[in-house]
Amino acid sequence: MDGTTHPPGLPIGVQRRFSRVIASPHIAAQIKEFDEKGFLVIPGLLPTRFIERLTQEVDHWVDSGLRQQSIDACLRPDRCPVPETVELEMAAHGELVTFPPVLELLEDENLLGPTFVFHHLHSDRRPSGAPGKPWHHDYEQRPQRHRRLPMVHVLHYVQGLRPGMGALAVLPGSHHEVAEKDARSHLGTSVLPGEVLITELPPGSTVVLHSALFHTRRAEDVSGAEGSQRYMIDASYCRTGEPWPPVKPYWRRILAAGRERRPGRGRWVELFEERHFSAYEPDGAGRAG
């Protein structure tokens, strides 16, 4: 025994690798600056075999029509049934949401602290030439009133990012504003003063955003990324302390699927508890992608 605490459920060698990644001076500096800047980037966090399994599941999620079913069930819950499978019921996706290195990172007081709850999961594969998404943030509060409790979006770029593939631009510090999600949408995907552009990441990289941070996805340049597809899995978590509004009408089923995973052998006991949520409100809520 080396006296080191290791994340449960991972081989010791893999645990040590992740410990080195998270504890590197560059990552440690980003963690300390998270409250100020609102984002951090962890290149190559996910192991190769995990990337392969996640890629296969994203392909199944999109190609089988399950992703579209989940969108329809959110946008038209009165007419469309709940999808036969939710993301958390796919093995690798469930493991990703409870991935110990990520949960241990979120425990840092600079991010969420020791007690937080899973909020939602989105999984997608975007083809070459897909359009961008205007400047927005994803902090769930209706109406937007304060930023007392942090919420984060953990963006896993399963196959990485390459130039021309659809860059992520973030506006450091904008998470301190109390603004509606679409307050900058009139700007489209235009370049803003002070933005940070993320265009290239190796497979299995992770970007953690404070959910109130304004960001945009630039349109993909087909000439620069011919034949490439942009895989991203977005898992969201929030500090407990007041009820959070759910975004999917079948949110209880999702949390139940999470509880079945028994994450961390009892370490993260609040991760999928329903009591941290308010009632589902369909207006402005159901977004599945």
Side-chain angles (χ1 to χ4, degrees):
M1 298 295 289
D2 58 9
T4 303
T5 300
H6 298 292
L10 294 174
I12 296 299
V14 176
Q15 293 168 1
R16 288 174 176 157
R17 171 181 171 264
F18 292 130
S19 296
R20 288 195 299 272
V21 170
I22 298 300
S24 70
H26 179 62
I27 302 301
Q30 290 188 82
I31 293 171
K32 289 181 179 179
E33 296 174 342
F34 188 81
D35 181 63
E36 174 190 352
K37 295 184 177 180
F39 75 101
L40 64 88
V41 181
I42 310 173
L45 178 65
L46 306 179
T48 301
R49 177 55 188 147
F50 199 14
I51 292 170
E52 294 170 355
R53 294 173 58 220
L54 288 167
T55 299
Q56 292 170 0
E57 288 189 355
V58 174
D59 286 338
H60 172 70
W61 181 249
V62 174
D63 295 337
S64 68
L66 284 169
R67 181 177 185 274
Q68 188 59 51
Q69 289 177 30
S70 72
I71 294 173
D72 294 341
C74 290
L75 297 179
R76 296 179 292 276
D78 56 331
R79 288 179 288 162
C80 299
V82 174
E84 60 191 52
T85 301
V86 299
E87 292 103 322
L88 263 176
E89 291 170 336
M90 295 188 291
H93 278 64
E95 292 171 28
L96 183 65
V97 166
T98 59
F99 193 50
V102 170
L103 298 186
E104 289 196 338
L105 172 68
L106 298 181
E107 285 180 320
D108 192 288
E109 291 289 354
N110 292 288
L111 279 82
L112 295 181
T115 307
F116 54 90
V117 64
F118 166 80
H119 193 277
H120 67 267
L121 182 68
H122 293 156
S123 186
D124 194 15
R125 184 194 69 207
R126 300 184 64 78
S128 297
K133 185 172 183 178
W135 285 97
H136 66 286
H137 74 73
D138 296 301
Y139 191 87
E140 293 297 336
Q141 195 176 65
R142 305 187 193 100
Q144 300 284 329
R145 304 181 302 280
H146 60 74
R147 297 292 183 261
R148 287 195 297 267
L149 298 177
M151 177 182 193
V152 300
H153 276 57
V154 183
L155 313 180
H156 299 284
Y157 291 94
V158 180
Q159 290 294 330
L161 281 179
R162 295 186 297 282
M165 205 174 186
L168 171 69
V170 301
L171 195 60
S174 59
H175 59 298
H176 293 297
E177 303 173 14
V178 179
E180 293 301 319
K181 293 183 175 186
D182 59 356
R184 286 182 169 87
S185 63
H186 64 286
L187 300 172
T189 64
S190 59
V191 177
L192 299 186
E195 72 167 43
V196 171
L197 186 65
I198 302 169
T199 61
E200 193 160 4
L201 292 170
S205 294
T206 299
V207 178
V208 182
L209 303 181
H210 189 294
S211 301
L213 189 77
F214 278 91
H215 58 285
T216 183
R217 182 184 67 240
R218 297 266 156 77
E220 299 178 10
D221 180 0
V222 178
S223 64
E226 186 174 355
S228 65
Q229 298 187 95
R230 189 180 192 264
Y231 287 76
M232 191 189 76
I233 303 174
D234 167 10
S236 179
Y237 310 80
C238 32
R239 181 182 292 173
T240 59
E242 65 179 54
W244 290 90
V247 295
K248 298 185 180 183
Y250 49 92
W251 62 277
R252 294 181 188 275
R253 174 179 168 183
I254 295 171
L255 292 180
R259 287 194 297 273
E260 291 179 1
R261 302 200 60 79
R262 305 182 186 278
R265 301 171 187 169
R267 178 173 175 180
W268 293 288
V269 295
E270 298 297 312
L271 193 59
F272 299 106
E273 289 302 316
E274 293 182 8
R275 64 177 172 274
H276 299 299
F277 293 86
S278 57
Y280 173 76
E281 297 178 7
D283 290 340
R287 291 176 306 282

